[in-house]
Amino acid sequence: MLSSFRGFRGLAAATIIVLTGVTGAEAQQTGALPVASAPIVAGGDARAPYAWTDFCKRSPSECAVDTREAEQIELTPKLWKLIVAANLKANREIEAITDQDHWGVVDRWDIPTDGKGDCEDYVLLKRLRLAEAGVPRRAMRVTVVIDEENAGHAVLMIRTDRGDFILDNKRNAILPWSQTGYTYVKRESQTRTGWASLGGLSTSTVASLR
C-alpha cells in the first residue's frame, strides 16, 4: 500500500479541453470512443517509490523503457473495448487486501498471481495483460496520485491520441485523468527507467460508473 501523502496541496488546476465524443462512463455503456481531452504534462525527474524499486529488482523486464515503442496509442473502438474489458476483469477478479495483511510488510508491489493485492498490484496486472495483448508498455505508465481520502494511491495511465485515461481499481469507469478528482504526483518516465513529476495537478470529479 502506498504511504499517505497527508497535507499535499495541488499546485495547479487541470484544464479540460473537450473536442469530440462522449464521456468515459458513457463510452463504456455505448461502445463509442470517449471524449478527447488535453494530456497531462510531466515535469522534471521524481524519486521512484521504494517498493517500485524493489519490484524492479525482482522483475526488471516490467520496468524497462523501450524508446522504440510508441509513447501514445491511437485509440480505436477495438482497442477501447480491449482496455475496458481488461480493467473490468482485473477489478472483478482480484481480492483487495493490504500489503500488511497479504505480505506482513507496509508496502510491496507485485503482480497478483494469487488473486489478492492492493492498488499497485491491480495496476501491474492490467499493464501486463494489456502488454501481452499488444499495447505498447511505453504508452502505459504507473502513476501515483493522492485520492479523495488524501492518501497515496496508484493507477494506470494509458496515453492515447485522445488524451490520457486512468484505469483504477476504485471504479470501473475509465476516465480522462482530468476528471478523476485526484491530485497527480508522479508517474513512470517515458524516456528512461525512472519517474517524472506531475507537479501536484489537482482535478475535478465527474459522475462515473461503478
Side-chain angles (χ1 to χ4, degrees), residues 96-189:
I97 186 173
T98 67
D99 287 329
Q100 190 65 55
D101 290 339
H102 196 186
W103 303 107
V105 296
V106 173
D107 198 15
R108 176 186 169 97
W109 293 31
D110 217 334
I111 295 170
T113 54
D114 63 354
K116 300 178 181 180
D118 66 356
C119 57
E120 310 91 23
D121 308 323
Y122 283 86
V123 168
L124 295 172
L125 179 62
K126 293 172 187 178
R127 190 180 66 159
L128 174 63
R129 287 177 172 173
L130 287 170
E132 290 175 342
V135 180
R137 284 182 177 274
R138 193 180 177 207
M140 299 185 288
R141 299 290 85 187
V142 180
T143 303
V144 172
V145 301
I146 297 179
D147 66 13
E148 68 283 354
E149 298 176 351
N150 204 29
H153 180 51
V155 295
L156 181 62
M157 179 182 292
I158 297 189
R159 311 211 68 202
T160 83
D161 60 345
R162 300 181 71 84
D164 299 335
F165 292 89
I166 300 300
L167 279 63
D168 192 348
N169 67 296
K170 289 191 173 190
R171 57 169 67 97
N172 291 328
I174 299 174
L175 301 177
W177 73 274
S178 50
Q179 296 180 19
T180 59
Y182 294 149
T183 296
Y184 286 76
V185 180
K186 54 189 174 182
R187 74 170 182 218
E188 288 181 85
S189 170

Coordinates of all heavy atoms in Angstrom, one line a residue, residues 96-189:
A96 N -9.2 -7.3 -2.9 CA -8.5 -6.2 -2.4 C -8.0 -6.6 -0.9 O -8.8 -7.0 -0.1 CB -9.3 -5.0 -2.3
I97 N -6.7 -6.4 -0.7 CA -6.1 -6.7 0.6 C -4.9 -5.8 0.8 O -4.2 -5.5 -0.1 CB -5.7 -8.2 0.7 CG1 -5.3 -8.6 2.1 CG2 -4.7 -8.6 -0.4 CD1 -5.0 -10.1 2.3
T98 N -4.7 -5.4 2.0 CA -3.5 -4.5 2.3 C -2.2 -5.4 2.2 O -2.2 -6.6 2.4 CB -3.6 -3.9 3.7 OG1 -3.5 -4.9 4.7 CG2 -4.9 -3.1 3.8
D99 N -1.1 -4.7 2.0 CA 0.2 -5.4 2.0 C 0.5 -6.0 3.3 O 1.2 -7.0 3.4 CB 1.3 -4.4 1.5 CG 1.2 -4.1 0.0 OD1 0.8 -5.0 -0.7 OD2 1.6 -3.0 -0.4
Q100 N 0.1 -5.3 4.4 CA 0.4 -5.8 5.7 C -0.3 -7.1 6.0 O 0.3 -8.0 6.5 CB -0.1 -4.7 6.8 CG 0.4 -5.0 8.2 CD 1.9 -4.9 8.4 OE1 2.5 -3.9 8.0 NE2 2.5 -6.0 8.8
D101 N -1.6 -7.2 5.5 CA -2.3 -8.5 5.7 C -1.8 -9.5 4.7 O -1.9 -10.7 5.0 CB -3.8 -8.2 5.5 CG -4.4 -7.4 6.6 OD1 -3.9 -7.4 7.7 OD2 -5.5 -6.8 6.4
H102 N -1.4 -9.1 3.5 CA -1.0 -10.0 2.5 C 0.4 -10.5 2.7 O 0.7 -11.8 2.6 CB -1.1 -9.3 1.1 CG -1.1 -10.2 0.0 ND1 -1.0 -9.7 -1.3 CD2 -1.1 -11.5 -0.2 CE1 -1.0 -10.7 -2.2 NE2 -1.1 -11.8 -1.5
W103 N 1.3 -9.6 2.9 CA 2.8 -10.0 3.0 C 3.4 -9.7 4.3 O 4.6 -10.1 4.5 CB 3.5 -9.2 1.9 CG 3.0 -9.3 0.5 CD1 2.3 -8.4 -0.2 CD2 3.2 -10.5 -0.3 NE1 2.0 -8.9 -1.5 CE2 2.6 -10.2 -1.6 CE3 3.8 -11.7 -0.2 CZ2 2.5 -11.1 -2.6 CZ3 3.8 -12.6 -1.2 CH2 3.2 -12.3 -2.4
G104 N 2.7 -9.0 5.2 CA 3.3 -8.7 6.5 C 4.3 -7.6 6.5 O 5.1 -7.4 7.4
V105 N 4.2 -6.7 5.4 CA 5.0 -5.5 5.2 C 4.1 -4.4 4.9 O 3.0 -4.5 4.4 CB 6.1 -5.7 4.2 CG1 7.1 -6.8 4.6 CG2 5.5 -6.0 2.8
V106 N 4.6 -3.2 5.1 CA 3.8 -2.0 4.9 C 3.6 -1.8 3.4 O 2.5 -1.4 3.0 CB 4.5 -0.7 5.5 CG1 3.8 0.6 5.1 CG2 4.6 -0.8 7.0
D107 N 4.6 -2.0 2.5 CA 4.4 -1.7 1.1 C 5.2 -2.7 0.3 O 6.4 -2.8 0.4 CB 4.9 -0.2 0.8 CG 4.4 0.3 -0.5 OD1 3.5 -0.3 -1.1 OD2 4.9 1.3 -1.0
R108 N 4.5 -3.4 -0.6 CA 5.1 -4.3 -1.6 C 4.4 -4.3 -2.9 O 3.1 -4.4 -2.8 CB 5.2 -5.7 -1.0 CG 5.7 -6.8 -2.0 CD 5.6 -8.2 -1.4 NE 5.9 -9.2 -2.4 CZ 7.0 -9.8 -2.6 NH1 8.0 -9.5 -1.8 NH2 7.2 -10.8 -3.5
W109 N 5.1 -4.1 -4.0 CA 4.4 -4.1 -5.3 C 4.7 -5.5 -5.9 O 5.8 -5.9 -6.0 CB 5.0 -3.0 -6.2 CG 4.7 -1.6 -5.7 CD1 4.5 -1.2 -4.4 CD2 4.5 -0.5 -6.5 NE1 4.2 0.2 -4.4 CE2 4.3 0.6 -5.7 CE3 4.6 -0.3 -7.9 CZ2 4.1 1.9 -6.2 CZ3 4.4 1.0 -8.4 CH2 4.1 2.1 -7.5
D110 N 3.7 -6.0 -6.5 CA 3.8 -7.3 -7.2 C 2.7 -7.6 -8.1 O 1.6 -7.0 -8.0 CB 4.0 -8.5 -6.2 CG 4.9 -9.5 -6.6 OD1 5.2 -9.7 -7.8 OD2 5.5 -10.2 -5.8
I111 N 2.8 -8.5 -9.1 CA 1.7 -8.9 -9.9 C 1.0 -10.0 -9.1 O 1.5 -11.0 -8.7 CB 2.3 -9.5 -11.2 CG1 3.0 -8.4 -12.1 CG2 1.1 -10.2 -12.1 CD1 3.7 -8.9 -13.3
P112 N -0.3 -9.8 -8.9 CA -1.1 -10.6 -8.0 C -1.5 -12.0 -8.6 O -2.7 -12.3 -8.9 CB -2.4 -9.7 -7.7 CG -2.5 -9.0 -9.0 CD -1.2 -8.7 -9.5
T113 N -0.5 -12.8 -8.7 CA -0.8 -14.2 -9.3 C -1.6 -15.0 -8.3 O -2.2 -16.1 -8.8 CB 0.6 -14.9 -9.5 OG1 1.4 -14.9 -8.3 CG2 1.4 -14.1 -10.6
D114 N -1.7 -14.7 -7.1 CA -2.5 -15.4 -6.1 C -3.9 -14.9 -6.0 O -4.7 -15.4 -5.2 CB -1.8 -15.5 -4.8 CG -1.7 -14.1 -4.1 OD1 -2.0 -13.1 -4.8 OD2 -1.3 -14.1 -2.9
G115 N -4.3 -13.9 -6.8 CA -5.6 -13.3 -6.8 C -5.9 -12.3 -5.7 O -7.1 -12.0 -5.5
K116 N -4.8 -11.8 -5.0 CA -5.0 -10.9 -4.0 C -4.0 -9.7 -4.2 O -2.9 -9.9 -4.7 CB -4.8 -11.5 -2.6 CG -5.7 -12.6 -2.3 CD -5.3 -13.2 -0.9 CE -6.2 -14.4 -0.5 NZ -5.9 -15.0 0.8
G117 N -4.4 -8.5 -3.8 CA -3.5 -7.4 -3.9 C -4.1 -6.1 -3.6 O -5.3 -6.0 -3.3
D118 N -3.3 -5.0 -3.6 CA -3.8 -3.7 -3.4 C -3.6 -2.9 -4.7 O -3.4 -3.4 -5.7 CB -3.2 -3.0 -2.2 CG -1.7 -2.7 -2.3 OD1 -1.1 -3.1 -3.3 OD2 -1.2 -2.1 -1.4
C119 N -3.8 -1.5 -4.6 CA -3.9 -0.7 -5.8 C -2.8 -0.9 -6.8 O -3.0 -1.0 -8.0 CB -4.1 0.7 -5.5 SG -2.7 1.5 -4.4
E120 N -1.5 -1.0 -6.3 CA -0.4 -1.1 -7.2 C -0.4 -2.5 -7.9 O 0.0 -2.6 -9.1 CB 1.0 -1.0 -6.5 CG 1.1 0.2 -5.6 CD 0.6 -0.1 -4.2 OE1 0.6 -1.3 -3.8 OE2 0.3 0.8 -3.5
D121 N -0.9 -3.5 -7.3 CA -0.9 -4.8 -7.8 C -2.0 -4.9 -8.9 O -1.7 -5.6 -10.0 CB -1.2 -5.9 -6.7 CG -0.2 -5.7 -5.6 OD1 1.0 -5.4 -5.8 OD2 -0.6 -5.9 -4.4
Y122 N -3.1 -4.2 -8.8 CA -4.1 -4.2 -9.8 C -3.5 -3.5 -11.1 O -3.6 -4.0 -12.2 CB -5.3 -3.3 -9.4 CG -6.3 -3.9 -8.5 CD1 -6.1 -3.9 -7.1 CD2 -7.5 -4.5 -9.0 CE1 -7.1 -4.4 -6.3 CE2 -8.4 -5.0 -8.1 CZ -8.2 -5.0 -6.8 OH -9.2 -5.5 -5.9
V123 N -2.7 -2.4 -10.8 CA -2.1 -1.7 -11.9 C -1.1 -2.6 -12.7 O -1.1 -2.6 -14.0 CB -1.3 -0.5 -11.4 CG1 -0.4 0.1 -12.5 CG2 -2.3 0.6 -10.9
L124 N -0.3 -3.3 -12.0 CA 0.7 -4.1 -12.6 C 0.1 -5.3 -13.4 O 0.6 -5.6 -14.5 CB 1.7 -4.7 -11.6 CG 2.6 -3.6 -10.9 CD1 3.3 -4.3 -9.7 CD2 3.5 -2.9 -11.9
L125 N -1.0 -5.8 -12.9 CA -1.7 -6.9 -13.6 C -2.3 -6.4 -14.9 O -2.2 -7.0 -16.0 CB -2.7 -7.5 -12.7 CG -3.6 -8.6 -13.4 CD1 -2.7 -9.8 -13.8 CD2 -4.7 -9.1 -12.4
K126 N -3.0 -5.2 -14.8 CA -3.6 -4.6 -16.0 C -2.6 -4.3 -17.1 O -2.8 -4.6 -18.3 CB -4.4 -3.4 -15.6 CG -5.6 -3.6 -14.7 CD -6.2 -2.4 -14.2 CE -7.3 -2.6 -13.2 NZ -7.9 -1.4 -12.6
R127 N -1.5 -3.8 -16.7 CA -0.4 -3.4 -17.6 C 0.1 -4.6 -18.3 O 0.4 -4.7 -19.5 CB 0.7 -2.6 -16.9 CG 1.6 -2.0 -17.9 CD 2.7 -1.2 -17.2 NE 3.6 -2.1 -16.4 CZ 4.8 -1.8 -16.0 NH1 5.3 -0.6 -16.4 NH2 5.5 -2.6 -15.3
L128 N 0.4 -5.7 -17.5 CA 0.9 -6.9 -18.0 C 0.0 -7.5 -19.1 O 0.4 -7.9 -20.2 CB 1.1 -7.9 -16.9 CG 1.6 -9.3 -17.3 CD1 2.9 -9.3 -18.0 CD2 1.6 -10.3 -16.1
R129 N -1.3 -7.6 -18.7 CA -2.3 -8.2 -19.6 C -2.4 -7.4 -20.9 O -2.5 -8.0 -22.0 CB -3.6 -8.4 -18.9 CG -3.6 -9.5 -17.9 CD -4.9 -9.6 -17.2 NE -5.0 -10.8 -16.3 CZ -6.0 -11.0 -15.5 NH1 -7.0 -10.2 -15.4 NH2 -5.9 -12.1 -14.7
L130 N -2.5 -6.1 -20.8 CA -2.6 -5.3 -22.0 C -1.3 -5.3 -22.9 O -1.4 -5.3 -24.1 CB -2.9 -3.8 -21.6 CG -4.3 -3.6 -21.1 CD1 -4.5 -2.2 -20.5 CD2 -5.3 -3.8 -22.2
A131 N -0.2 -5.4 -22.2 CA 1.1 -5.6 -23.0 C 1.1 -6.9 -23.7 O 1.5 -7.0 -24.9 CB 2.3 -5.5 -22.0
E132 N 0.6 -7.9 -23.1 CA 0.5 -9.2 -23.7 C -0.5 -9.2 -24.9 O -0.3 -10.0 -25.9 CB 0.1 -10.3 -22.7 CG 1.2 -10.6 -21.7 CD 0.7 -11.6 -20.6 OE1 -0.5 -11.8 -20.5 OE2 1.6 -12.2 -19.9
A133 N -1.4 -8.3 -24.9 CA -2.4 -8.2 -25.9 C -1.9 -7.2 -27.0 O -2.6 -7.0 -28.0 CB -3.7 -7.6 -25.4
G134 N -0.7 -6.7 -26.9 CA -0.1 -5.9 -27.9 C 0.0 -4.4 -27.7 O 0.4 -3.6 -28.5
V135 N -0.5 -3.9 -26.5 CA -0.5 -2.5 -26.2 C 1.0 -2.1 -25.8 O 1.5 -2.8 -25.0 CB -1.4 -2.1 -25.1 CG1 -1.4 -0.6 -24.8 CG2 -2.9 -2.5 -25.5
P136 N 1.6 -1.1 -26.4 CA 3.0 -0.8 -26.1 C 3.1 -0.4 -24.6 O 2.3 0.4 -24.1 CB 3.3 0.5 -26.9 CG 2.3 0.4 -28.0 CD 1.1 -0.2 -27.5
R137 N 4.1 -1.0 -23.9 CA 4.3 -0.7 -22.5 C 4.6 0.8 -22.3 O 4.2 1.4 -21.3 CB 5.4 -1.5 -21.9 CG 5.1 -3.0 -21.7 CD 6.3 -3.7 -21.1 NE 6.0 -5.1 -20.8 CZ 5.5 -5.5 -19.6 NH1 5.2 -4.5 -18.7 NH2 5.2 -6.7 -19.4
R138 N 5.3 1.3 -23.2 CA 5.7 2.7 -23.1 C 4.5 3.7 -23.0 O 4.6 4.8 -22.5 CB 6.6 3.1 -24.2 CG 7.3 4.5 -24.0 CD 8.2 4.8 -25.2 NE 8.9 6.0 -25.0 CZ 9.3 6.8 -26.0 NH1 9.1 6.4 -27.3 NH2 9.9 8.0 -25.8
A139 N 3.4 3.3 -23.6 CA 2.2 4.1 -23.5 C 1.3 3.9 -22.3 O 0.3 4.5 -22.1 CB 1.3 3.8 -24.8
M140 N 1.8 3.0 -21.4 CA 1.1 2.7 -20.2 C 2.0 3.0 -19.0 O 3.0 2.3 -18.8 CB 0.7 1.2 -20.1 CG -0.2 0.8 -21.3 SD -0.8 -0.9 -21.1 CE 0.7 -1.9 -21.5
R141 N 1.6 4.0 -18.2 CA 2.5 4.5 -17.2 C 1.9 4.3 -15.8 O 0.8 4.8 -15.5 CB 2.8 6.0 -17.4 CG 3.5 6.3 -18.7 CD 5.0 5.8 -18.7 NE 5.1 4.4 -19.1 CZ 6.3 3.8 -19.1 NH1 7.3 4.3 -18.7 NH2 6.3 2.5 -19.6
V142 N 2.6 3.6 -14.9 CA 2.2 3.5 -13.5 C 2.3 4.9 -12.9 O 3.2 5.7 -13.1 CB 3.1 2.6 -12.7 CG1 2.6 2.5 -11.2 CG2 3.1 1.2 -13.3
T143 N 1.2 5.3 -12.2 CA 1.1 6.7 -11.8 C 0.7 6.8 -10.3 O -0.2 6.1 -9.9 CB 0.0 7.5 -12.6 OG1 0.4 7.4 -14.0 CG2 -0.1 8.9 -12.3
V144 N 1.3 7.7 -9.6 CA 1.0 7.9 -8.2 C 0.1 9.2 -8.0 O 0.5 10.2 -8.5 CB 2.2 8.0 -7.3 CG1 1.9 8.4 -5.9 CG2 3.0 6.7 -7.3
V145 N -1.0 9.0 -7.3 CA -1.9 10.2 -7.1 C -2.2 10.3 -5.6 O -1.9 9.4 -4.8 CB -3.2 10.0 -7.9 CG1 -2.9 9.9 -9.4 CG2 -4.0 8.8 -7.4
I146 N -2.9 11.3 -5.3 CA -3.5 11.5 -3.9 C -5.0 11.4 -4.1 O -5.6 12.1 -4.9 CB -3.1 12.8 -3.2 CG1 -1.6 12.8 -3.1 CG2 -3.8 12.9 -1.9 CD1 -1.0 14.0 -2.4
D147 N -5.6 10.5 -3.4 CA -7.0 10.2 -3.6 C -7.9 11.1 -2.8 O -7.5 12.0 -2.1 CB -7.3 8.7 -3.4 CG -7.1 8.3 -2.0 OD1 -7.0 9.1 -1.1 OD2 -7.1 7.0 -1.7
E148 N -9.2 10.7 -2.8 CA -10.2 11.5 -2.1 C -10.1 11.5 -0.6 O -10.7 12.3 0.1 CB -11.6 11.1 -2.6 CG -12.0 9.7 -2.1 CD -11.4 8.6 -2.9 OE1 -10.7 8.8 -3.9 OE2 -11.6 7.4 -2.5
E149 N -9.3 10.5 -0.1 CA -9.1 10.4 1.3 C -7.7 11.1 1.7 O -7.3 10.9 2.8 CB -9.1 9.0 1.7 CG -10.5 8.3 1.5 CD -10.5 6.8 1.9 OE1 -9.4 6.3 2.1 OE2 -11.6 6.3 1.9
N150 N -7.1 11.8 0.8 CA -5.8 12.4 1.0 C -4.7 11.4 1.3 O -3.8 11.7 2.0 CB -5.9 13.4 2.1 CG -4.8 14.5 2.0 OD1 -4.4 14.8 0.9 ND2 -4.4 15.0 3.1
A151 N -4.8 10.2 0.6 CA -3.9 9.2 0.8 C -3.2 8.8 -0.5 O -3.8 9.0 -1.6 CB -4.5 7.9 1.4
G152 N -2.0 8.2 -0.5 CA -1.4 7.8 -1.7 C -2.1 6.7 -2.4 O -2.6 5.8 -1.7
H153 N -2.2 6.7 -3.7 CA -2.9 5.7 -4.5 C -2.2 5.5 -5.8 O -1.6 6.5 -6.3 CB -4.4 6.2 -4.6 CG -5.2 5.2 -5.4 ND1 -5.4 3.9 -5.1 CD2 -6.1 5.5 -6.5 CE1 -6.2 3.3 -6.0 NE2 -6.7 4.3 -6.8
A154 N -2.3 4.3 -6.4 CA -1.7 4.0 -7.7 C -2.7 3.7 -8.7 O -3.7 3.0 -8.4 CB -0.7 2.9 -7.6
V155 N -2.5 4.2 -9.9 CA -3.4 4.0 -11.0 C -2.6 3.7 -12.3 O -1.4 4.0 -12.3 CB -4.4 5.2 -11.3 CG1 -5.4 5.3 -10.1 CG2 -3.6 6.5 -11.5
L156 N -3.2 3.2 -13.3 CA -2.5 3.0 -14.6 C -3.0 4.1 -15.6 O -4.2 4.2 -15.8 CB -2.8 1.7 -15.2 CG -2.1 1.3 -16.5 CD1 -0.6 1.3 -16.3 CD2 -2.6 0.0 -17.0
M157 N -2.1 4.9 -16.1 CA -2.4 5.9 -17.1 C -2.0 5.4 -18.5 O -0.9 4.9 -18.7 CB -1.6 7.2 -16.8 CG -1.8 8.3 -17.8 SD -0.8 9.8 -17.5 CE -1.5 10.4 -15.9
I158 N -3.0 5.4 -19.4 CA -2.8 5.0 -20.7 C -2.8 6.3 -21.6 O -3.8 7.0 -21.6 CB -3.9 4.0 -21.2 CG1 -3.8 2.7 -20.4 CG2 -3.7 3.7 -22.7 CD1 -4.6 1.5 -20.9
R159 N -1.8 6.5 -22.3 CA -1.6 7.7 -23.1 C -2.0 7.4 -24.6 O -1.5 6.5 -25.2 CB -0.1 8.1 -23.1 CG 0.4 8.2 -21.7 CD 1.5 9.2 -21.5 NE 0.9 10.6 -21.6 CZ 1.6 11.7 -22.0 NH1 2.8 11.6 -22.3 NH2 1.0 12.8 -22.1
T160 N -3.0 8.2 -25.0 CA -3.6 8.0 -26.3 C -3.7 9.3 -27.1 O -3.4 10.3 -26.6 CB -5.0 7.4 -26.2 OG1 -6.0 8.4 -26.0 CG2 -5.2 6.4 -25.1
D161 N -4.1 9.1 -28.4 CA -4.2 10.3 -29.2 C -5.5 11.1 -28.8 O -5.7 12.2 -29.4 CB -4.2 10.0 -30.7 CG -5.4 9.0 -31.1 OD1 -6.0 8.4 -30.2 OD2 -5.6 8.9 -32.3
R162 N -6.3 10.6 -27.9 CA -7.5 11.3 -27.4 C -7.3 11.8 -26.0 O -8.2 12.1 -25.3 CB -8.7 10.4 -27.5 CG -9.0 10.0 -29.0 CD -10.3 9.1 -29.0 NE -11.5 9.9 -28.8 CZ -12.1 10.6 -29.7 NH1 -11.6 10.6 -30.9 NH2 -13.2 11.2 -29.4
G163 N -6.0 11.7 -25.5 CA -5.7 12.1 -24.1 C -5.3 11.0 -23.3 O -5.1 9.8 -23.7
D164 N -5.1 11.3 -22.0 CA -4.6 10.3 -21.0 C -5.7 9.8 -20.2 O -6.4 10.5 -19.5 CB -3.5 10.9 -20.1 CG -2.3 11.4 -20.9 OD1 -2.1 10.9 -22.0 OD2 -1.6 12.3 -20.4
F165 N -5.9 8.4 -20.2 CA -7.0 7.8 -19.5 C -6.5 7.0 -18.3 O -5.4 6.4 -18.3 CB -7.9 7.0 -20.4 CG -8.6 7.8 -21.5 CD1 -8.0 8.1 -22.7 CD2 -9.8 8.3 -21.2 CE1 -8.6 8.9 -23.6 CE2 -10.5 9.1 -22.1 CZ -9.9 9.4 -23.3
I166 N -7.4 6.9 -17.3 CA -7.0 6.3 -16.0 C -7.7 5.0 -15.7 O -9.0 5.0 -15.7 CB -7.2 7.3 -14.8 CG1 -6.3 8.5 -15.0 CG2 -6.8 6.6 -13.5 CD1 -4.8 8.3 -15.1
L167 N -7.0 3.9 -15.5 CA -7.5 2.6 -15.1 C -7.3 2.5 -13.6 O -6.2 2.7 -13.1 CB -6.8 1.5 -15.8 CG -7.3 1.2 -17.2 CD1 -7.1 2.3 -18.2 CD2 -6.7 -0.1 -17.8
D168 N -8.4 2.3 -12.9 CA -8.4 2.5 -11.4 C -9.2 1.3 -10.8 O -10.3 0.9 -11.3 CB -9.1 3.8 -11.1 CG -9.0 4.3 -9.7 OD1 -8.5 3.5 -8.8 OD2 -9.3 5.4 -9.4
N169 N -8.7 0.8 -9.7 CA -9.4 -0.3 -9.0 C -10.5 0.2 -8.2 O -11.4 -0.6 -7.7 CB -8.4 -1.2 -8.2 CG -7.9 -0.4 -7.0 OD1 -7.1 0.5 -7.2 ND2 -8.2 -0.9 -5.8
K170 N -10.6 1.5 -8.0 CA -11.7 2.1 -7.2 C -13.0 2.3 -8.0 O -14.0 2.5 -7.4 CB -11.2 3.4 -6.6 CG -10.2 3.3 -5.5 CD -10.0 4.6 -4.8 CE -9.1 4.5 -3.6 NZ -9.1 5.7 -2.8
R171 N -12.9 2.3 -9.3 CA -14.1 2.4 -10.1 C -13.9 1.7 -11.4 O -12.7 1.4 -11.9 CB -14.3 3.9 -10.5 CG -13.2 4.6 -11.1 CD -13.5 6.0 -11.7 NE -13.8 6.9 -10.7 CZ -13.0 7.8 -10.2 NH1 -11.7 7.9 -10.7 NH2 -13.3 8.7 -9.3
N172 N -14.9 1.2 -12.0 CA -14.8 0.5 -13.3 C -14.8 1.5 -14.5 O -14.3 1.1 -15.5 CB -16.0 -0.5 -13.4 CG -15.9 -1.6 -12.4 OD1 -14.8 -2.1 -12.1 ND2 -17.0 -2.1 -12.0
A173 N -15.4 2.7 -14.3 CA -15.3 3.6 -15.4 C -13.9 4.1 -15.6 O -13.2 4.4 -14.7 CB -16.2 4.8 -15.1
I174 N -13.5 4.2 -16.9 CA -12.2 4.7 -17.3 C -12.4 6.1 -17.7 O -13.0 6.4 -18.6 CB -11.6 3.9 -18.4 CG1 -11.4 2.4 -18.0 CG2 -10.3 4.5 -18.9 CD1 -11.0 1.5 -19.1
L175 N -11.8 7.0 -16.9 CA -12.0 8.4 -17.1 C -10.7 9.1 -17.6 O -9.6 8.7 -17.4 CB -12.4 9.1 -15.7 CG -13.6 8.6 -15.0 CD1 -13.8 9.3 -13.7 CD2 -14.8 8.8 -15.9
P176 N -10.9 10.3 -18.2 CA -9.7 11.1 -18.5 C -9.0 11.5 -17.2 O -9.7 11.7 -16.2 CB -10.3 12.4 -19.2 CG -11.7 11.9 -19.7 CD -12.1 10.9 -18.7
W177 N -7.7 11.7 -17.2 CA -7.0 12.0 -16.0 C -7.6 13.2 -15.3 O -7.6 13.2 -14.0 CB -5.5 12.2 -16.3 CG -5.2 13.5 -17.0 CD1 -5.3 13.8 -18.3 CD2 -4.9 14.7 -16.3 NE1 -5.0 15.1 -18.6 CE2 -4.8 15.7 -17.4 CE3 -4.7 15.1 -15.0 CZ2 -4.4 17.0 -17.1 CZ3 -4.4 16.5 -14.8 CH2 -4.2 17.4 -15.8
S178 N -8.1 14.2 -16.1 CA -8.5 15.4 -15.5 C -9.9 15.4 -14.9 O -10.4 16.4 -14.4 CB -8.5 16.5 -16.6 OG -9.2 16.0 -17.8
Q179 N -10.6 14.2 -14.9 CA -11.9 14.1 -14.3 C -12.0 13.1 -13.2 O -13.1 12.6 -12.8 CB -12.9 13.7 -15.5 CG -13.0 14.8 -16.5 CD -14.0 14.4 -17.6 OE1 -14.8 13.5 -17.4 NE2 -13.9 15.0 -18.8
T180 N -10.9 12.7 -12.6 CA -10.9 11.7 -11.6 C -11.0 12.2 -10.2 O -11.3 11.5 -9.2 CB -9.5 10.9 -11.6 OG1 -8.5 11.8 -11.5 CG2 -9.4 10.2 -13.0
G181 N -10.8 13.5 -10.0 CA -10.8 14.1 -8.6 C -9.5 13.9 -7.9 O -9.4 14.2 -6.7
Y182 N -8.5 13.3 -8.5 CA -7.2 13.0 -7.9 C -6.2 14.2 -8.0 O -6.4 15.0 -8.9 CB -6.6 11.8 -8.4 CG -7.3 10.5 -8.2 CD1 -7.3 9.4 -9.1 CD2 -8.1 10.3 -7.0 CE1 -8.0 8.2 -8.8 CE2 -8.8 9.2 -6.8 CZ -8.7 8.1 -7.7 OH -9.4 6.9 -7.4
T183 N -5.2 14.2 -7.2 CA -4.1 15.1 -7.3 C -2.9 14.2 -7.9 O -2.6 13.2 -7.3 CB -3.7 15.7 -6.0 OG1 -4.8 16.6 -5.6 CG2 -2.5 16.6 -6.1
Y184 N -2.3 14.7 -8.9 CA -1.3 13.9 -9.6 C 0.1 14.2 -9.2 O 0.6 15.4 -9.3 CB -1.4 14.0 -11.1 CG -2.6 13.3 -11.6 CD1 -3.9 13.8 -11.4 CD2 -2.5 12.0 -12.2 CE1 -5.1 13.1 -11.8 CE2 -3.6 11.3 -12.6 CZ -4.9 11.8 -12.4 OH -6.0 11.1 -12.8
V185 N 0.8 13.2 -8.6 CA 2.1 13.4 -8.0 C 3.2 13.1 -9.0 O 4.1 13.9 -9.2 CB 2.2 12.6 -6.7 CG1 3.6 12.8 -6.1 CG2 1.1 12.9 -5.7
K186 N 3.2 11.9 -9.5 CA 4.3 11.5 -10.4 C 3.9 10.2 -11.2 O 3.0 9.5 -10.8 CB 5.6 11.2 -9.6 CG 5.4 10.2 -8.4 CD 6.7 10.2 -7.6 CE 6.5 9.3 -6.3 NZ 7.7 9.3 -5.5
R187 N 4.7 9.9 -12.2 CA 4.5 8.7 -13.0 C 5.8 8.2 -13.5 O 6.8 8.9 -13.5 CB 3.5 8.9 -14.1 CG 4.1 9.7 -15.3 CD 3.2 9.7 -16.5 NE 3.8 10.4 -17.6 CZ 3.2 11.3 -18.4 NH1 1.9 11.5 -18.3 NH2 3.9 11.8 -19.4
E188 N 5.8 7.0 -14.0 CA 6.9 6.4 -14.7 C 7.3 7.4 -15.9 O 6.5 7.9 -16.6 CB 6.6 5.1 -15.4 CG 6.5 3.9 -14.4 CD 6.2 2.7 -15.3 OE1 7.2 2.1 -15.8 OE2 5.0 2.4 -15.5
S189 N 8.6 7.5 -16.1 CA 9.1 8.3 -17.2 C 8.9 7.5 -18.5 O 8.9 6.3 -18.5 CB 10.6 8.6 -17.0 OG 11.2 9.1 -18.2

